[in-house]
């Protein structure tokens, strides 16, 4: 069940659509009760339920609070298009782990095309509601050539053996994490990474599923840099 409700602000009110109203009714919320809402601007809106109808719900804003969103270092996640169910789970968990940007590209080994940014954003909004986050990550569908390849970029692949620890700088402000699709990077993509001097790291003596490898890396970074404290 959601801990926040997502709506649109109109003057001193927030309007919940039909779907959000259905969630509200499942939680047995009534008019004049309090709840928290967000509009994807980094603020928590403390509200009173003014009116519930079949099509929408009107909330009266009582208080506005800024939410702490400066989780450091910034994490920009890049991954190749993979099976939809696994990508959906990944997006949900990445939001919970307070990722800053999600960038999805079509790798040479991607087996499907995917262009529905709106669907991705809906998944991110649902995860934000559950995890009490007032702003979802920036979400983009890009080309491989648009991936930022610089000194802060780390790529991951099961065929390499560089150390992850030696590539996590203590004073870093931003990290670009790059993963291939579920079939991995192509030889051509690896050549591009090598040419740009991007370290390609092996995560150990196991083969993770595509999404598990990303959960694992995000957990390490959150713990090392104490991002969620």
């Amino acid at each position: 069940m959601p801990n926040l409700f997502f709506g649109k602000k109109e003057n001193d009110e927030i309007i919940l659509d039909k779907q959000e109203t259905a969630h509200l009714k499942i939680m047995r919320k009534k008019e004049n009760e309090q709840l928290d809402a967000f509009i994807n601007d980094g603020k928590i809106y403390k509200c009173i339920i003014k009116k519930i109808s079949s099509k929408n719900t009107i909330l009266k804003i009582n208080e506005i609070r800024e939410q702490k969103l400066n989780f450091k270092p910034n994490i920009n996640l890049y991954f190749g298009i993979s099976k939809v169910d696994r990508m959906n789970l990944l997006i949900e968990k990445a939001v919970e782990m307070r990722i800053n940007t999600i960038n999805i590209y079509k790798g040479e080994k991607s087996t499907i095309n995917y262009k529905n940014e709106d669907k991705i954003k809906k998944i991110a909004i649902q995860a934000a509601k559950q995890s009490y986050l007032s702003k979802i990550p920036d979400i983009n569908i890009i080309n491989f050539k648009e991936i930022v390849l610089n000194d802060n970029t780390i790529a991951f692949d099961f065929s390499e053996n560089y150390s992850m620890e030696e590539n996590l700088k203590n004073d870093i402000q931003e990290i670009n994490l790059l993963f291939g699709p579920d079939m991995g990077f192509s030889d051509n993509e690896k050549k591009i990474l090598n040419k740009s001097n991007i370290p390609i790291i092996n995560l150990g003596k196991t083969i993770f599923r595509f999404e598990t490898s990303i959960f694992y890396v995000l957990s390490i970074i959150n713990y090392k840099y104490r991002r969620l404290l």
Side-chain angles (χ1 to χ4, degrees):
M1 290 292 101
N3 294 307
L4 281 175
F5 288 84
F6 178 71
K8 294 183 179 179
K9 187 172 180 291
E10 296 182 5
N11 298 318
D12 61 347
E13 296 177 336
I14 290 179
I15 311 300
L16 306 184
D17 65 13
K18 186 174 182 179
Q19 183 177 359
E20 290 294 282
T21 297
H23 291 164
L24 181 142
K25 290 178 179 178
I26 290 171
M27 294 183 68
R28 300 183 183 277
K29 290 287 187 179
K30 305 294 184 182
E31 292 179 1
N32 297 317
E33 290 186 5
Q34 298 182 356
L35 59 75
D36 294 346
F38 78 113
I39 61 172
N40 200 30
D41 65 349
K43 299 174 183 177
I44 300 293
Y45 292 82
K46 315 290 285 188
C47 303
I48 296 291
I49 301 172
K50 184 176 179 180
K51 183 178 180 181
I52 302 173
S53 69
S54 60
K55 294 184 178 180
N56 61 30
T57 297
I58 301 173
L59 308 178
K60 175 73 172 178
I61 299 171
N62 273 355
E63 183 182 354
I64 304 174
R65 295 182 182 177
E66 295 281 350
Q67 189 178 33
K68 176 186 179 294
L69 296 172
N70 56 333
F71 303 101
K72 297 295 181 182
N74 286 350
I75 302 177
N76 305 311
L77 176 62
Y78 296 84
F79 64 87
I81 295 173
S82 302
K83 294 179 180 178
V84 173
D85 57 340
R86 293 183 181 172
M87 286 199 301
N88 291 350
L89 177 62
L90 169 57
I91 292 161
E92 175 185 294
K93 299 309 175 186
V95 171
E96 292 179 20
M97 294 186 184
R98 301 315 192 231
I99 206 81
N100 296 92
T101 65
I102 296 173
N103 305 281
I104 306 172
Y105 67 91
K106 189 177 190 314
E108 292 185 1
K109 288 189 175 182
S110 292
T111 56
I112 61 172
N113 288 313
Y114 195 87
K115 298 181 180 179
N116 195 339
E117 280 189 24
D118 288 340
K119 185 174 182 179
I120 297 170
K121 289 178 180 178
K122 286 180 181 179
I123 294 168
I125 286 170
Q126 293 303 314
K129 289 166 56 180
Q130 188 277 328
S131 63
Y132 208 81
L133 180 66
S134 59
K135 191 175 190 307
I136 67 170
D138 292 329
I139 296 172
N140 309 287
I141 296 178
I142 63 173
N143 298 316
F144 188 85
K145 64 181 181 180
E146 295 178 84
I147 296 171
V148 175
L149 301 178
N150 60 23
D151 291 343
N152 295 333
T153 303
I154 306 172
F156 297 86
D157 188 83
F158 54 81
S159 65
E160 304 295 333
N161 57 10
Y162 288 98
S163 166
M164 182 174 174
E165 185 175 0
E166 68 187 28
N167 286 281
L168 294 178
K169 306 167 189 175
N170 289 330
D171 59 348
I172 196 168
Q173 295 299 307
E174 185 169 74
I175 303 175
N176 304 315
L177 302 177
L178 173 56
F179 296 81
D182 48 6
M183 298 296 290
F185 295 114
S186 69
D187 290 341
N188 182 53
E189 288 166 345
K190 288 183 184 180
K191 287 179 182 178
I192 294 171
L193 298 178
N194 289 329
K195 188 175 181 180
S196 300
N197 295 316
I198 303 301
I200 306 177
I201 293 171
N202 185 310
L203 293 176
K205 296 180 179 179
T206 185
I207 298 178
F208 288 123
R209 284 184 180 272
F210 152 78
E211 69 277 16
T212 307
S213 63
I214 300 178
F215 301 157
Y216 180 72
V217 171
L218 291 178
S219 297
I220 289 172
I221 291 174
N222 277 337
Y223 181 78
K224 175 179 173 61
Y225 295 105
R226 301 169 67 83
R227 289 182 76 247
L228 304 186
L229 299 181

